[in-house]
Amino acid sequence: MWDIKQWKELGRKLMRSRFEKSLDVAPYDPLKDEDEMAQGVLRGDYEVQYWNEAKAKFGHAITLICVVLVMVVATCIILFISQKGISTFIGTGISVKDFLFGTVWYPDRPMDQGGPSFGILPFIVGSFSVSMLALLVAVPLGVATAIFITEINPSFGGKVLRPCTELFVGIPSVVYGWIGLSVLVPFIRNYVGGLGFSILAGGIVLSFMILPTITSVTCDALAAVPNSYREAAYSLGATRWQVISRVSTPAAGSGILTGVVLAMGRAFGETLAVQMVIGNVPIIPRSLLDPGITLTTGITMDMVNTVNGSLWNSALWSMALVLLILSLCFMGLVKLIGKRYRSQY
Amino acid sequence: MGETRKSRRNMRESNRREVGKKEMPTRWSRKVVEKLALSSIVALACVFFVTGCFGEPNGNGSSELSGSITVSGATALQPLIQQAAEQFMAKNTKVKITVSGGGSGTGLSQVAEGQVDIGMSDIFAEEKEGIDASKLVDHRICVVGFAVVAHPEVSVDNLSKEQLIDIFTGKVSNWSEVGGQDLPIIIVNRPKSSGTRAVFKKYALDGQEEAQAAVTEDSSGAIKKIISDTPGAISYLALSYVDDSVKVLKLDGKEPTVENITSGEYPIWSYEHLYTLGEPNEVVAAFIDYVLSDDVQDTLVKDLGYIPIVEMEVSRDE
């Protein structure tokens, strides 16, 4: 009979051999793999292999078709809007500069008063001011919510708070608009001042609509920060606040910025809810309480009633082109932020 | 030996047959019946699809109408035409009518380009820039009246036409200047491309250019809500949208009632048009006749708040 020392020795040997085995995993050897394939063919497995290859090709073909389809559709949309939008500037005497920086939007001005005037600066200013205001409200709220959800109370945050914020996505924009019209506009009129229909109302309604985008993207970015960062900071004696403010949040910076730009894109494109509370007046607003107009609301207000091919209609298409270019810029910005931060960390 | 083989084969065959006989009925009842049922459903669906697509050629000199009609245009007119189309299709089962909205501009340009058979419009085609009205044929189907409405707390009951023009052109900016309380006037208008705004400008403001409105909205529902919520607000609404939440103002002492409009005493009304490219074909003409018939004019038109075209004692050209 072996004594305990021998058992221990055997155990040690077994452990070592297992460890050594785990160390030298056989590297990928194409020759050997081919050999196995050849043997498989010899064994009569070739039918199976052909079938597998055929399946792979079929899958490849389907994904390829889908990709091509999406690309064709996207290209067609861009080409269509570009073609329609550029037609405003060809042979009409309207320059791009006057169009983008003109402040007078008077598409039906009679000829004896100087003819129609298409200046979309009020629309651009309106779009930017409403979106910026929305970001100003929604970014602190959204980031703080996300920090609470991921860093401070993950169990309550993940089970209750996050689904709650994501609920905002499911509410149709007409409901936001109607609530804004029934609650927010009278509130601003009675307690803040002005008419109620204002950049302020539009910005607040929008901030609620983009809150879930910012919150969920920030949540994901914070969750992606490796726990070792936090543990290292805690082991050095950092408080929770110091960990949040100096470690997790800066490390998730690129993700948070991406969320902000995505939210800005959404704010820029939102139409219906803004249209109901902003007043739709094509004048550059002088204060937050002045009514204004955005590119999207301007397009929806007149698109249905102008005749296809008329100058007025083309000008609306040009506004759509401006909107498209701006949102492409936002997309580029997202990519750029991602790239810069990836090289940094 | 030979005989025994034969008999054996016979036995085997008869056995097989017997086995077959036993098993066949059960198989039959399952798979074959299933297949039969499925194929008959498919065949039926095919028949329906084919007949639905092509219909029967309108031969044999039968008077039954068949074909399809596409309609697009003014959203204000859409409910009326939609319901009339459903009734028409119930009576003429081989006619298919598709109604879509899109606005007067869309309707007029689509009918001018031949994309749809009928374009719905709430203004004359001549008034729309970019439309070759000479190619289009106008079918006036009903009249819609517009009321000048204000916030319920506005104490003014009556406005003269001059006062109305002064308000909308911005010369008067407080209700006290037209006999009401001290309250700023807030103009709620429609977008410049709107057909309703064109009608209002033409018949209520005598074509004078409006001042910049405080608020612009393009849907009647939103305008009604804004008027009822905003102190001092003034706008105009189609009669079918007017209810107790807004105050209807008299114009030169005349209320916007059906009687005053049909007799020509109240000026703010417009025709609702169906436009066709050239003279309509048989099916389209039958549908337009149906919309103009008493079946629709006495029921649907009145129910939806329009005024039947036959009741008008006055008429307009442009």
Side-chain angles (χ1 to χ4, degrees), chain A residues 106 108 178 182 189 195 197 275 279-281 301-302 304-305 307 312, chain B residues 102 106 128 186 191-193 209 212 214-218 225 229-230:
Chain A
Y106 198 161
D108 56 345
W178 200 251
S182 323
R189 181 173 54 234
L195 249 186
F197 297 92
Q275 191 200 330
N280 305 306
V281 177
M301 295 284 276
D302 283 331
V304 293
N305 283 318
V307 176
W312 193 342
Chain B
T106 311
K128 203 78 181 171
I186 290 158
K192 279 188 168 170
S193 56
E209 187 66 31
Q212 179 62 59
V215 178
T216 314
E217 276 300 337
D218 63 348
K225 170 110 178 116
D229 283 356
T230 313

PDB file of all heavy atoms in Angstrom, chain A residues 106 108 178 182 189 195 197 275 279-281 301-302 304-305 307 312, chain B residues 102 106 128 186 191-193 209 212 214-218 225 229-230:
ATOM      1  N   TYR A 106     -39.556  84.043 -47.793  1.00  0.00           N
ATOM      2  CA  TYR A 106     -40.783  84.626 -48.321  1.00  0.00           C
ATOM      3  C   TYR A 106     -40.991  84.025 -49.705  1.00  0.00           C
ATOM      4  O   TYR A 106     -40.805  84.692 -50.710  1.00  0.00           O
ATOM      5  CB  TYR A 106     -40.637  86.151 -48.400  1.00  0.00           C
ATOM      6  CG  TYR A 106     -41.931  86.931 -48.510  1.00  0.00           C
ATOM      7  CD1 TYR A 106     -41.986  88.283 -48.198  1.00  0.00           C
ATOM      8  CD2 TYR A 106     -43.105  86.325 -48.944  1.00  0.00           C
ATOM      9  CE1 TYR A 106     -43.157  89.016 -48.297  1.00  0.00           C
ATOM     10  CE2 TYR A 106     -44.269  87.035 -49.048  1.00  0.00           C
ATOM     11  CZ  TYR A 106     -44.301  88.380 -48.728  1.00  0.00           C
ATOM     12  OH  TYR A 106     -45.462  89.096 -48.829  1.00  0.00           O
ATOM     13  N   ASP A 108     -43.480  83.228 -51.510  1.00  0.00           N
ATOM     14  CA  ASP A 108     -44.531  83.647 -52.435  1.00  0.00           C
ATOM     15  C   ASP A 108     -44.563  85.167 -52.596  1.00  0.00           C
ATOM     16  O   ASP A 108     -45.600  85.737 -52.871  1.00  0.00           O
ATOM     17  CB  ASP A 108     -45.895  83.130 -51.945  1.00  0.00           C
ATOM     18  CG  ASP A 108     -46.209  83.582 -50.528  1.00  0.00           C
ATOM     19  OD1 ASP A 108     -45.270  84.047 -49.838  1.00  0.00           O
ATOM     20  OD2 ASP A 108     -47.382  83.476 -50.120  1.00  0.00           O
ATOM     21  N   TRP A 178     -48.370  66.504 -28.057  1.00  0.00           N
ATOM     22  CA  TRP A 178     -49.666  66.841 -27.481  1.00  0.00           C
ATOM     23  C   TRP A 178     -49.517  67.216 -26.014  1.00  0.00           C
ATOM     24  O   TRP A 178     -50.141  68.164 -25.538  1.00  0.00           O
ATOM     25  CB  TRP A 178     -50.625  65.658 -27.668  1.00  0.00           C
ATOM     26  CG  TRP A 178     -52.059  66.060 -27.552  1.00  0.00           C
ATOM     27  CD1 TRP A 178     -52.906  65.773 -26.545  1.00  0.00           C
ATOM     28  CD2 TRP A 178     -52.798  66.850 -28.485  1.00  0.00           C
ATOM     29  NE1 TRP A 178     -54.136  66.327 -26.779  1.00  0.00           N
ATOM     30  CE2 TRP A 178     -54.098  66.987 -27.957  1.00  0.00           C
ATOM     31  CE3 TRP A 178     -52.494  67.456 -29.702  1.00  0.00           C
ATOM     32  CZ2 TRP A 178     -55.091  67.716 -28.619  1.00  0.00           C
ATOM     33  CZ3 TRP A 178     -53.475  68.171 -30.356  1.00  0.00           C
ATOM     34  CH2 TRP A 178     -54.754  68.294 -29.817  1.00  0.00           C
ATOM     35  N   SER A 182     -50.391  70.765 -24.396  1.00  0.00           N
ATOM     36  CA  SER A 182     -51.415  70.906 -23.360  1.00  0.00           C
ATOM     37  C   SER A 182     -50.848  71.330 -22.011  1.00  0.00           C
ATOM     38  O   SER A 182     -51.555  71.941 -21.225  1.00  0.00           O
ATOM     39  CB  SER A 182     -52.159  69.585 -23.143  1.00  0.00           C
ATOM     40  OG  SER A 182     -52.340  68.923 -24.339  1.00  0.00           O
ATOM     41  N   ARG A 189     -46.355  79.974 -20.742  1.00  0.00           N
ATOM     42  CA  ARG A 189     -47.091  81.228 -20.934  1.00  0.00           C
ATOM     43  C   ARG A 189     -47.464  81.856 -19.593  1.00  0.00           C
ATOM     44  O   ARG A 189     -47.332  83.058 -19.397  1.00  0.00           O
ATOM     45  CB  ARG A 189     -48.339  80.971 -21.781  1.00  0.00           C
ATOM     46  CG  ARG A 189     -49.147  82.228 -22.051  1.00  0.00           C
ATOM     47  CD  ARG A 189     -50.273  81.976 -23.011  1.00  0.00           C
ATOM     48  NE  ARG A 189     -51.122  80.886 -22.570  1.00  0.00           N
ATOM     49  CZ  ARG A 189     -51.429  79.830 -23.299  1.00  0.00           C
ATOM     50  NH1 ARG A 189     -50.967  79.720 -24.518  1.00  0.00           N
ATOM     51  NH2 ARG A 189     -52.212  78.880 -22.826  1.00  0.00           N
ATOM     52  N   LEU A 195     -45.433  83.776 -25.286  1.00  0.00           N
ATOM     53  CA  LEU A 195     -46.620  83.149 -25.813  1.00  0.00           C
ATOM     54  C   LEU A 195     -46.785  81.719 -25.349  1.00  0.00           C
ATOM     55  O   LEU A 195     -47.875  81.175 -25.357  1.00  0.00           O
ATOM     56  CB  LEU A 195     -46.488  83.115 -27.334  1.00  0.00           C
ATOM     57  CG  LEU A 195     -47.395  83.996 -28.152  1.00  0.00           C
ATOM     58  CD1 LEU A 195     -47.172  83.680 -29.603  1.00  0.00           C
ATOM     59  CD2 LEU A 195     -48.823  83.760 -27.758  1.00  0.00           C
ATOM     60  N   PHE A 197     -45.491  79.226 -27.051  1.00  0.00           N
ATOM     61  CA  PHE A 197     -44.873  78.583 -28.207  1.00  0.00           C
ATOM     62  C   PHE A 197     -43.481  79.170 -28.380  1.00  0.00           C
ATOM     63  O   PHE A 197     -43.327  80.343 -28.703  1.00  0.00           O
ATOM     64  CB  PHE A 197     -45.699  78.824 -29.461  1.00  0.00           C
ATOM     65  CG  PHE A 197     -47.059  78.208 -29.368  1.00  0.00           C
ATOM     66  CD1 PHE A 197     -48.126  78.934 -28.894  1.00  0.00           C
ATOM     67  CD2 PHE A 197     -47.251  76.888 -29.718  1.00  0.00           C
ATOM     68  CE1 PHE A 197     -49.382  78.363 -28.773  1.00  0.00           C
ATOM     69  CE2 PHE A 197     -48.493  76.307 -29.608  1.00  0.00           C
ATOM     70  CZ  PHE A 197     -49.557  77.041 -29.140  1.00  0.00           C
ATOM     71  N   GLN A 275     -42.945  70.531 -33.937  1.00  0.00           N
ATOM     72  CA  GLN A 275     -43.856  71.362 -34.719  1.00  0.00           C
ATOM     73  C   GLN A 275     -45.036  71.846 -33.883  1.00  0.00           C
ATOM     74  O   GLN A 275     -45.519  72.959 -34.059  1.00  0.00           O
ATOM     75  CB  GLN A 275     -44.360  70.555 -35.917  1.00  0.00           C
ATOM     76  CG  GLN A 275     -45.110  71.398 -36.929  1.00  0.00           C
ATOM     77  CD  GLN A 275     -45.990  70.553 -37.809  1.00  0.00           C
ATOM     78  OE1 GLN A 275     -45.698  69.399 -38.073  1.00  0.00           O
ATOM     79  NE2 GLN A 275     -47.067  71.138 -38.263  1.00  0.00           N
ATOM     80  N   GLY A 279     -44.200  76.889 -32.659  1.00  0.00           N
ATOM     81  CA  GLY A 279     -44.812  78.069 -33.236  1.00  0.00           C
ATOM     82  C   GLY A 279     -44.645  78.201 -34.739  1.00  0.00           C
ATOM     83  O   GLY A 279     -45.450  78.839 -35.394  1.00  0.00           O
ATOM     84  N   ASN A 280     -43.572  77.626 -35.285  1.00  0.00           N
ATOM     85  CA  ASN A 280     -43.351  77.598 -36.734  1.00  0.00           C
ATOM     86  C   ASN A 280     -43.363  78.976 -37.379  1.00  0.00           C
ATOM     87  O   ASN A 280     -44.107  79.232 -38.318  1.00  0.00           O
ATOM     88  CB  ASN A 280     -44.384  76.709 -37.419  1.00  0.00           C
ATOM     89  CG  ASN A 280     -44.407  75.328 -36.835  1.00  0.00           C
ATOM     90  OD1 ASN A 280     -43.374  74.667 -36.770  1.00  0.00           O
ATOM     91  ND2 ASN A 280     -45.558  74.916 -36.364  1.00  0.00           N
ATOM     92  N   VAL A 281     -42.564  79.860 -36.876  1.00  0.00           N
ATOM     93  CA  VAL A 281     -42.478  81.193 -37.446  1.00  0.00           C
ATOM     94  C   VAL A 281     -41.064  81.374 -38.011  1.00  0.00           C
ATOM     95  O   VAL A 281     -40.098  81.298 -37.261  1.00  0.00           O
ATOM     96  CB  VAL A 281     -42.748  82.253 -36.362  1.00  0.00           C
ATOM     97  CG1 VAL A 281     -42.575  83.641 -36.938  1.00  0.00           C
ATOM     98  CG2 VAL A 281     -44.143  82.084 -35.801  1.00  0.00           C
ATOM     99  N   MET A 301     -44.414  71.481 -43.042  1.00  0.00           N
ATOM    100  CA  MET A 301     -45.505  72.446 -43.136  1.00  0.00           C
ATOM    101  C   MET A 301     -45.894  72.712 -44.592  1.00  0.00           C
ATOM    102  O   MET A 301     -47.067  72.881 -44.902  1.00  0.00           O
ATOM    103  CB  MET A 301     -45.102  73.775 -42.501  1.00  0.00           C
ATOM    104  CG  MET A 301     -44.859  73.720 -41.027  1.00  0.00           C
ATOM    105  SD  MET A 301     -46.352  73.644 -40.108  1.00  0.00           S
ATOM    106  CE  MET A 301     -46.743  75.356 -40.018  1.00  0.00           C
ATOM    107  N   ASP A 302     -44.907  72.787 -45.481  1.00  0.00           N
ATOM    108  CA  ASP A 302     -45.207  73.230 -46.836  1.00  0.00           C
ATOM    109  C   ASP A 302     -45.123  72.133 -47.895  1.00  0.00           C
ATOM    110  O   ASP A 302     -45.624  72.303 -48.998  1.00  0.00           O
ATOM    111  CB  ASP A 302     -44.266  74.369 -47.235  1.00  0.00           C
ATOM    112  CG  ASP A 302     -44.688  75.676 -46.589  1.00  0.00           C
ATOM    113  OD1 ASP A 302     -45.883  75.827 -46.333  1.00  0.00           O
ATOM    114  OD2 ASP A 302     -43.824  76.528 -46.332  1.00  0.00           O
ATOM    115  N   VAL A 304     -46.535  69.246 -48.430  1.00  0.00           N
ATOM    116  CA  VAL A 304     -47.721  68.623 -49.011  1.00  0.00           C
ATOM    117  C   VAL A 304     -48.490  69.576 -49.914  1.00  0.00           C
ATOM    118  O   VAL A 304     -49.209  69.139 -50.804  1.00  0.00           O
ATOM    119  CB  VAL A 304     -48.671  68.110 -47.910  1.00  0.00           C
ATOM    120  CG1 VAL A 304     -48.038  66.970 -47.175  1.00  0.00           C
ATOM    121  CG2 VAL A 304     -49.051  69.217 -46.959  1.00  0.00           C
ATOM    122  N   ASN A 305     -48.332  70.857 -49.704  1.00  0.00           N
ATOM    123  CA  ASN A 305     -49.182  71.789 -50.433  1.00  0.00           C
ATOM    124  C   ASN A 305     -48.486  72.493 -51.583  1.00  0.00           C
ATOM    125  O   ASN A 305     -49.091  73.303 -52.268  1.00  0.00           O
ATOM    126  CB  ASN A 305     -49.762  72.832 -49.473  1.00  0.00           C
ATOM    127  CG  ASN A 305     -50.900  72.266 -48.671  1.00  0.00           C
ATOM    128  OD1 ASN A 305     -51.724  71.551 -49.208  1.00  0.00           O
ATOM    129  ND2 ASN A 305     -50.923  72.559 -47.392  1.00  0.00           N
ATOM    130  N   VAL A 307     -46.415  72.385 -55.254  1.00  0.00           N
ATOM    131  CA  VAL A 307     -46.489  71.528 -56.426  1.00  0.00           C
ATOM    132  C   VAL A 307     -45.104  71.012 -56.779  1.00  0.00           C
ATOM    133  O   VAL A 307     -44.131  71.776 -56.826  1.00  0.00           O
ATOM    134  CB  VAL A 307     -47.103  72.317 -57.606  1.00  0.00           C
ATOM    135  CG1 VAL A 307     -47.092  71.463 -58.856  1.00  0.00           C
ATOM    136  CG2 VAL A 307     -48.505  72.739 -57.260  1.00  0.00           C
ATOM    137  N   TRP A 312     -40.597  76.653 -55.093  1.00  0.00           N
ATOM    138  CA  TRP A 312     -40.861  76.539 -53.661  1.00  0.00           C
ATOM    139  C   TRP A 312     -40.590  75.111 -53.190  1.00  0.00           C
ATOM    140  O   TRP A 312     -39.913  74.861 -52.193  1.00  0.00           O
ATOM    141  CB  TRP A 312     -42.326  76.932 -53.409  1.00  0.00           C
ATOM    142  CG  TRP A 312     -42.705  77.169 -51.987  1.00  0.00           C
ATOM    143  CD1 TRP A 312     -42.024  76.771 -50.886  1.00  0.00           C
ATOM    144  CD2 TRP A 312     -43.867  77.852 -51.523  1.00  0.00           C
ATOM    145  NE1 TRP A 312     -42.690  77.165 -49.760  1.00  0.00           N
ATOM    146  CE2 TRP A 312     -43.825  77.826 -50.116  1.00  0.00           C
ATOM    147  CE3 TRP A 312     -44.949  78.466 -52.167  1.00  0.00           C
ATOM    148  CZ2 TRP A 312     -44.828  78.399 -49.342  1.00  0.00           C
ATOM    149  CZ3 TRP A 312     -45.939  79.025 -51.390  1.00  0.00           C
ATOM    150  CH2 TRP A 312     -45.872  79.009 -49.988  1.00  0.00           C
TER     151      TRP A 312
ATOM    152  N   GLY B 102     -52.215  63.535 -48.930  1.00  0.00           N
ATOM    153  CA  GLY B 102     -51.000  64.116 -49.510  1.00  0.00           C
ATOM    154  C   GLY B 102     -51.082  65.617 -49.676  1.00  0.00           C
ATOM    155  O   GLY B 102     -50.064  66.269 -49.859  1.00  0.00           O
ATOM    156  N   THR B 106     -50.005  68.029 -53.885  1.00  0.00           N
ATOM    157  CA  THR B 106     -49.702  66.678 -54.354  1.00  0.00           C
ATOM    158  C   THR B 106     -50.787  66.198 -55.305  1.00  0.00           C
ATOM    159  O   THR B 106     -50.491  65.669 -56.382  1.00  0.00           O
ATOM    160  CB  THR B 106     -49.610  65.723 -53.150  1.00  0.00           C
ATOM    161  OG1 THR B 106     -48.759  66.311 -52.179  1.00  0.00           O
ATOM    162  CG2 THR B 106     -49.082  64.378 -53.553  1.00  0.00           C
ATOM    163  N   LYS B 128     -52.944  77.662 -58.106  1.00  0.00           N
ATOM    164  CA  LYS B 128     -51.753  76.956 -57.634  1.00  0.00           C
ATOM    165  C   LYS B 128     -50.622  77.190 -58.627  1.00  0.00           C
ATOM    166  O   LYS B 128     -50.758  76.875 -59.805  1.00  0.00           O
ATOM    167  CB  LYS B 128     -52.046  75.462 -57.516  1.00  0.00           C
ATOM    168  CG  LYS B 128     -51.122  74.749 -56.568  1.00  0.00           C
ATOM    169  CD  LYS B 128     -51.539  75.015 -55.151  1.00  0.00           C
ATOM    170  CE  LYS B 128     -50.637  74.359 -54.146  1.00  0.00           C
ATOM    171  NZ  LYS B 128     -50.946  74.797 -52.792  1.00  0.00           N
ATOM    172  N   ILE B 186     -53.435  87.473 -30.587  1.00  0.00           N
ATOM    173  CA  ILE B 186     -52.446  86.494 -31.038  1.00  0.00           C
ATOM    174  C   ILE B 186     -52.990  85.797 -32.279  1.00  0.00           C
ATOM    175  O   ILE B 186     -54.002  85.092 -32.220  1.00  0.00           O
ATOM    176  CB  ILE B 186     -52.129  85.491 -29.921  1.00  0.00           C
ATOM    177  CG1 ILE B 186     -51.349  86.216 -28.822  1.00  0.00           C
ATOM    178  CG2 ILE B 186     -51.324  84.323 -30.450  1.00  0.00           C
ATOM    179  CD1 ILE B 186     -51.418  85.561 -27.495  1.00  0.00           C
ATOM    180  N   PRO B 191     -49.803  77.556 -42.722  1.00  0.00           N
ATOM    181  CA  PRO B 191     -48.621  77.810 -43.558  1.00  0.00           C
ATOM    182  C   PRO B 191     -49.003  78.461 -44.885  1.00  0.00           C
ATOM    183  O   PRO B 191     -50.123  78.319 -45.364  1.00  0.00           O
ATOM    184  CB  PRO B 191     -48.011  76.429 -43.771  1.00  0.00           C
ATOM    185  CG  PRO B 191     -49.017  75.456 -43.321  1.00  0.00           C
ATOM    186  CD  PRO B 191     -49.917  76.143 -42.368  1.00  0.00           C
ATOM    187  N   LYS B 192     -48.059  79.189 -45.470  1.00  0.00           N
ATOM    188  CA  LYS B 192     -48.358  79.977 -46.659  1.00  0.00           C
ATOM    189  C   LYS B 192     -48.831  79.143 -47.835  1.00  0.00           C
ATOM    190  O   LYS B 192     -49.549  79.621 -48.690  1.00  0.00           O
ATOM    191  CB  LYS B 192     -47.103  80.746 -47.073  1.00  0.00           C
ATOM    192  CG  LYS B 192     -46.935  81.999 -46.252  1.00  0.00           C
ATOM    193  CD  LYS B 192     -45.825  82.840 -46.802  1.00  0.00           C
ATOM    194  CE  LYS B 192     -45.884  84.216 -46.153  1.00  0.00           C
ATOM    195  NZ  LYS B 192     -44.683  85.001 -46.471  1.00  0.00           N
ATOM    196  N   SER B 193     -48.418  77.876 -47.874  1.00  0.00           N
ATOM    197  CA  SER B 193     -48.809  77.048 -49.015  1.00  0.00           C
ATOM    198  C   SER B 193     -50.210  76.469 -48.837  1.00  0.00           C
ATOM    199  O   SER B 193     -50.738  75.859 -49.752  1.00  0.00           O
ATOM    200  CB  SER B 193     -47.804  75.907 -49.173  1.00  0.00           C
ATOM    201  OG  SER B 193     -47.731  75.171 -47.971  1.00  0.00           O
ATOM    202  N   GLU B 209     -51.926  91.128 -47.888  1.00  0.00           N
ATOM    203  CA  GLU B 209     -50.891  90.285 -47.301  1.00  0.00           C
ATOM    204  C   GLU B 209     -50.993  90.306 -45.777  1.00  0.00           C
ATOM    205  O   GLU B 209     -51.027  91.364 -45.157  1.00  0.00           O
ATOM    206  CB  GLU B 209     -49.525  90.800 -47.751  1.00  0.00           C
ATOM    207  CG  GLU B 209     -48.358  89.930 -47.353  1.00  0.00           C
ATOM    208  CD  GLU B 209     -48.363  88.566 -48.027  1.00  0.00           C
ATOM    209  OE1 GLU B 209     -48.852  88.459 -49.165  1.00  0.00           O
ATOM    210  OE2 GLU B 209     -47.882  87.616 -47.414  1.00  0.00           O
ATOM    211  N   GLN B 212     -46.860  88.658 -40.159  1.00  0.00           N
ATOM    212  CA  GLN B 212     -46.321  87.409 -39.636  1.00  0.00           C
ATOM    213  C   GLN B 212     -47.136  86.948 -38.433  1.00  0.00           C
ATOM    214  O   GLN B 212     -47.303  87.696 -37.474  1.00  0.00           O
ATOM    215  CB  GLN B 212     -44.862  87.627 -39.222  1.00  0.00           C
ATOM    216  CG  GLN B 212     -44.208  86.406 -38.647  1.00  0.00           C
ATOM    217  CD  GLN B 212     -44.143  85.277 -39.658  1.00  0.00           C
ATOM    218  OE1 GLN B 212     -43.567  85.428 -40.719  1.00  0.00           O
ATOM    219  NE2 GLN B 212     -44.760  84.161 -39.335  1.00  0.00           N
ATOM    220  N   ALA B 214     -48.218  84.859 -35.047  1.00  0.00           N
ATOM    221  CA  ALA B 214     -47.469  84.478 -33.850  1.00  0.00           C
ATOM    222  C   ALA B 214     -47.203  82.985 -33.845  1.00  0.00           C
ATOM    223  O   ALA B 214     -46.163  82.528 -33.396  1.00  0.00           O
ATOM    224  CB  ALA B 214     -48.251  84.874 -32.604  1.00  0.00           C
ATOM    225  N   VAL B 215     -48.168  82.229 -34.336  1.00  0.00           N
ATOM    226  CA  VAL B 215     -48.034  80.777 -34.376  1.00  0.00           C
ATOM    227  C   VAL B 215     -48.548  80.297 -35.720  1.00  0.00           C
ATOM    228  O   VAL B 215     -49.534  80.818 -36.233  1.00  0.00           O
ATOM    229  CB  VAL B 215     -48.850  80.110 -33.243  1.00  0.00           C
ATOM    230  CG1 VAL B 215     -48.755  78.607 -33.325  1.00  0.00           C
ATOM    231  CG2 VAL B 215     -48.387  80.595 -31.884  1.00  0.00           C
ATOM    232  N   THR B 216     -47.879  79.329 -36.309  1.00  0.00           N
ATOM    233  CA  THR B 216     -48.339  78.725 -37.545  1.00  0.00           C
ATOM    234  C   THR B 216     -48.537  77.231 -37.317  1.00  0.00           C
ATOM    235  O   THR B 216     -47.669  76.574 -36.774  1.00  0.00           O
ATOM    236  CB  THR B 216     -47.313  78.929 -38.671  1.00  0.00           C
ATOM    237  OG1 THR B 216     -46.891  80.283 -38.663  1.00  0.00           O
ATOM    238  CG2 THR B 216     -47.908  78.605 -40.016  1.00  0.00           C
ATOM    239  N   GLU B 217     -49.685  76.739 -37.710  1.00  0.00           N
ATOM    240  CA  GLU B 217     -49.950  75.299 -37.626  1.00  0.00           C
ATOM    241  C   GLU B 217     -50.666  74.871 -38.887  1.00  0.00           C
ATOM    242  O   GLU B 217     -51.373  75.666 -39.498  1.00  0.00           O
ATOM    243  CB  GLU B 217     -50.824  74.973 -36.404  1.00  0.00           C
ATOM    244  CG  GLU B 217     -50.069  74.826 -35.101  1.00  0.00           C
ATOM    245  CD  GLU B 217     -49.012  73.725 -35.110  1.00  0.00           C
ATOM    246  OE1 GLU B 217     -49.107  72.783 -35.921  1.00  0.00           O
ATOM    247  OE2 GLU B 217     -48.086  73.819 -34.300  1.00  0.00           O
ATOM    248  N   ASP B 218     -50.500  73.604 -39.263  1.00  0.00           N
ATOM    249  CA  ASP B 218     -51.151  73.188 -40.499  1.00  0.00           C
ATOM    250  C   ASP B 218     -52.314  72.228 -40.294  1.00  0.00           C
ATOM    251  O   ASP B 218     -52.975  71.882 -41.253  1.00  0.00           O
ATOM    252  CB  ASP B 218     -50.143  72.603 -41.490  1.00  0.00           C
ATOM    253  CG  ASP B 218     -49.492  71.352 -40.956  1.00  0.00           C
ATOM    254  OD1 ASP B 218     -49.657  71.081 -39.755  1.00  0.00           O
ATOM    255  OD2 ASP B 218     -48.822  70.655 -41.728  1.00  0.00           O
ATOM    256  N   LYS B 225     -57.160  73.491 -30.830  1.00  0.00           N
ATOM    257  CA  LYS B 225     -56.615  73.336 -29.474  1.00  0.00           C
ATOM    258  C   LYS B 225     -55.890  74.613 -29.036  1.00  0.00           C
ATOM    259  O   LYS B 225     -56.057  75.086 -27.908  1.00  0.00           O
ATOM    260  CB  LYS B 225     -55.663  72.143 -29.464  1.00  0.00           C
ATOM    261  CG  LYS B 225     -54.851  71.996 -28.214  1.00  0.00           C
ATOM    262  CD  LYS B 225     -55.308  70.791 -27.431  1.00  0.00           C
ATOM    263  CE  LYS B 225     -54.467  70.610 -26.192  1.00  0.00           C
ATOM    264  NZ  LYS B 225     -55.211  70.754 -24.979  1.00  0.00           N
ATOM    265  N   ASP B 229     -56.907  77.223 -25.975  1.00  0.00           N
ATOM    266  CA  ASP B 229     -55.978  77.311 -24.842  1.00  0.00           C
ATOM    267  C   ASP B 229     -55.357  78.692 -24.657  1.00  0.00           C
ATOM    268  O   ASP B 229     -54.966  79.054 -23.550  1.00  0.00           O
ATOM    269  CB  ASP B 229     -54.810  76.317 -25.029  1.00  0.00           C
ATOM    270  CG  ASP B 229     -55.228  74.901 -24.710  1.00  0.00           C
ATOM    271  OD1 ASP B 229     -56.381  74.742 -24.280  1.00  0.00           O
ATOM    272  OD2 ASP B 229     -54.422  73.986 -24.901  1.00  0.00           O
ATOM    273  N   THR B 230     -55.184  79.450 -25.743  1.00  0.00           N
ATOM    274  CA  THR B 230     -54.370  80.651 -25.688  1.00  0.00           C
ATOM    275  C   THR B 230     -55.248  81.894 -25.575  1.00  0.00           C
ATOM    276  O   THR B 230     -56.018  82.178 -26.494  1.00  0.00           O
ATOM    277  CB  THR B 230     -53.500  80.770 -26.960  1.00  0.00           C
ATOM    278  OG1 THR B 230     -52.893  79.505 -27.205  1.00  0.00           O
ATOM    279  CG2 THR B 230     -52.435  81.840 -26.795  1.00  0.00           C
TER     280      THR B 230
END
